[in-house]
Amino acid sequence: MADIAHKVHVALGERAYDILIGDRLIDEAGAILAERFPGRRFGIITDENVAKAQLPRLIASMDAAGLGHSEIVLPPGESTKGWPGLQAAVEGILAARLERGDLVIALGGGVIGDLAGFAAAIARRGMDFVQMPTSLLAQVDSSVGGKTGINSPHGKNLIGAFHQPRLVLADLSTLDTLAPRQFASGYAEVVKYGLIDDEDFFFWLEEKREEIFAGGPARGEAIARCCAHKARVVIEDEKELGVRALLNLGHTFGHALEKDTGYSDRLLHGEGVSIGMVLAHGFSARLGLAPSQDAGRIAAHLKNAGLPTILGDIEGGLGSTETLMAAIAQDKKVSRGALTFILTRGIGKAFIEKGVAPEAVSAFLDEMRR
Ligand SMILES: NC(=O)c1ccc[n+]([C@@H]2O[C@H](COP(=O)([O-])OP(=O)(O)OC[C@H]3O[C@@H](n4cnc5c(N)ncnc54)[C@H](O)[C@@H]3O)[C@@H](O)[C@H]2O)c1
Ligand SMILES: O=C(O)C(=O)C[C@@H](O)[C@H](O)[C@H](O)COP(=O)(O)O
Ligand SMILES: [Zn+2]
């Protein structure tokens, strides 16, 4: 029997859903889906790595529950989260003759979650979907909150829709097959929650980091605390009209770096966020807003977790500062041409700053490249 260790409810009225977190949940997924979505068929969208490591378990549990299903298996990696990947996902849903009342299952990391969620949002003008996150990043962040979409050559996540899942099933045992670099990448988003507004969580992470990486009980607790944090923010501001932008800490820089490195394995999303969070704290210190020792303490923690923390850590070099600034100018938080950044007064004290001077950002980036 599956062990549902944590349950977080995302109270969004008619779009409300549960996040179930536990060990070996995937082996019970068929029974859970049959109970919650009787009489439906399912289109499982996944990538080749997850298909090898986890899909057989999901299929076995769905077969045991007598559920009808089809599989759409895409290439792994960030480059799949673009127009051709979206076309493959949507056409796969249609080819499988899934009806509007059937469900899409996103089995995988954040790439599959964002892509399959967006495909579900637009196929047959909108289908329900279930998130089954299998990377740490997806379990603590991308499977929750309904941001779905794909990347554009113009910038990260520029095409998409808010489309909430009907259920999130996070099986801790799936993380056993995740590559260490990918686990570290997801850990950057874990740290993010502490840095936003929960210094106690950051200090707890400083104590528990090794246990979390080793797979001890702190891992499930960390994942549940992140989901509870994100659920609180999403309930308050589902469409990012205000406070939800705090979840973007480190992302304005990070997304520009991801674009600059071609959405490739040169820089994973969490790695960009790691460098971006250190830059956001460094920039805040430069503006006299935050103590500079906080940036050092954060960088040390991320570095000990195996993450890059400075621009020089990105192999293969970067484009010019002008190119990075052009990517930053495409950020979705830009309003009437003015830049918005998530800045900070220190660990756990992030805030939204509108109208940040591009010259100040550009000068800071120039300095950080030296
Ligand atoms: N929608 C949101 O709110 C949100 C939040 C954060 C990040 N994101 C997006 O998420 C994406 C990054 O997600 P990610 O870090 O999970 O990357 P990913 O989806 O590429 O997964 C990481 C890698 O690990 C593999 N993998 C995943 N689970 C596995 C498992 N259990 N066993 C073996 N291999 C496994 C995948 O095949 C892939 O190669 C980015 O596109 C980012 O923009 C979205
Ligand atoms: O859920 C959110 O809101 C976030 O900002 C979470 C981020 O970790 C995530 O990377 C998100 O996809 C970024 O959103 P975007 O609106 O900047 O594309
Ligand atoms: Zn992110």
Side-chain angles (χ1 to χ4, degrees):
M1 198 52 190
D3 166 24
I4 298 175
H6 306 272
K7 180 170 162 176
V8 177
H9 185 64
V10 187
L12 279 174
E14 60 183 16
R15 292 181 302 289
Y17 54 96
D18 288 330
I19 305 166
L20 306 182
I21 302 160
D23 203 27
R24 310 203 65 77
L25 263 190
I26 215 170
D27 303 319
E28 302 295 325
I32 296 170
L33 294 171
E35 191 191 341
R36 293 190 178 227
F37 309 105
R40 314 275 200 104
R41 287 178 60 236
F42 298 85
I44 305 167
I45 303 184
T46 190
D47 72 29
E48 286 156 10
N49 295 338
V50 181
K52 206 162 149 198
Q54 301 297 339
L55 182 61
R57 295 175 65 193
L58 176 59
I59 288 181
S61 83
M62 291 180 78
D63 286 345
L67 299 177
H69 54 84
S70 309
E71 292 74 48
I72 300 156
V73 181
L74 302 171
E78 189 70 36
S79 58
T80 292
K81 214 180 102 174
W83 289 114
L86 180 67
Q87 183 174 3
V90 173
E91 293 295 339
I93 289 170
L94 302 179
R97 300 200 179 191
L98 291 160
E99 298 173 1
R100 186 154 52 179
D102 292 332
L103 280 100
V104 170
I105 295 176
L107 176 73
V111 164
I112 288 298
D114 284 12
L115 178 71
F118 188 36
I122 59 176
R124 302 197 194 279
R125 294 211 183 92
M127 297 172 63
D128 287 341
F129 84 114
V130 171
Q131 288 272 17
M132 290 197 196
T134 63
S135 69
L136 178 65
L137 185 141
Q139 295 192 354
V140 300
D141 193 345
S142 63
S143 62
V144 177
K147 274 191 180 178
T148 71
I150 58 171
N151 304 321
S152 153
H154 291 286
K156 177 87 181 163
N157 297 341
L158 292 188
I159 303 131
F162 286 97
H163 187 49
Q164 300 291 344
R166 293 287 309 278
L167 176 69
V168 180
L169 285 184
D171 179 345
L172 299 172
S173 77
T174 62
L175 300 179
D176 295 344
T177 58
L178 187 67
R181 182 181 170 197
Q182 298 291 349
F183 191 91
S185 173
Y187 187 72
E189 301 273 24
V190 174
V191 173
K192 178 185 78 175
Y193 291 103
L195 299 183
I196 291 172
D197 63 0
D198 190 351
E199 62 173 1
D200 288 346
F201 184 55
F202 180 77
F203 301 150
W204 182 79
L205 289 173
E206 286 186 320
E207 273 174 39
K208 300 284 182 178
R209 176 181 55 79
E210 286 176 11
E211 186 184 330
I212 291 169
F213 274 70
R219 182 184 283 183
E221 186 181 339
I223 292 170
R225 284 174 77 167
C226 293
C227 287
H229 188 154
K230 183 156 185 183
R232 271 197 310 276
V233 175
V234 169
I235 290 165
E236 190 178 337
D237 179 21
E238 183 182 4
K239 299 265 174 86
E240 197 177 303
L241 301 173
V243 70
R244 184 167 179 169
L246 290 170
L247 296 174
N248 238 240
L249 175 63
H251 284 63
T252 316
F253 289 120
H255 280 172
L257 298 173
E258 279 189 85
K259 175 182 182 295
D260 202 71
T261 48
Y263 308 123
S264 70
D265 280 0
R266 279 180 59 207
L267 188 74
L268 303 176
H269 176 73
E271 295 173 341
V273 171
S274 174
I275 296 173
M277 291 192 299
V278 175
L279 288 174
H281 281 76
F283 185 49
S284 301
R286 176 58 40 86
L287 297 175
L289 297 165
S292 55
Q293 59 272 31
D294 278 11
R297 183 170 177 174
I298 295 159
H301 183 71
L302 294 166
K303 195 170 178 187
N304 287 335
L307 283 158
T309 54
I310 56 172
L311 295 176
D313 287 339
I314 302 172
E315 278 179 28
L318 286 170
S320 65
T321 300
E322 289 68 34
T323 316
L324 292 175
M325 289 305 296
I328 286 172
Q330 281 277 14
D331 182 73
K332 291 189 290 314
K333 297 186 297 304
V334 168
S335 174
R336 300 182 187 208
L339 298 181
T340 296
F341 269 78
I342 311 309
L343 298 181
T344 183
R345 297 193 173 82
I347 293 167
K349 298 186 183 72
F351 64 94
I352 302 164
E353 181 72 349
K354 297 182 177 166
V356 173
E359 302 75 24
V361 180
S362 171
F364 176 71
L365 278 175
D366 269 341
E367 196 181 320
M368 291 300 109
R369 300 164 70 94
R370 284 187 216 121

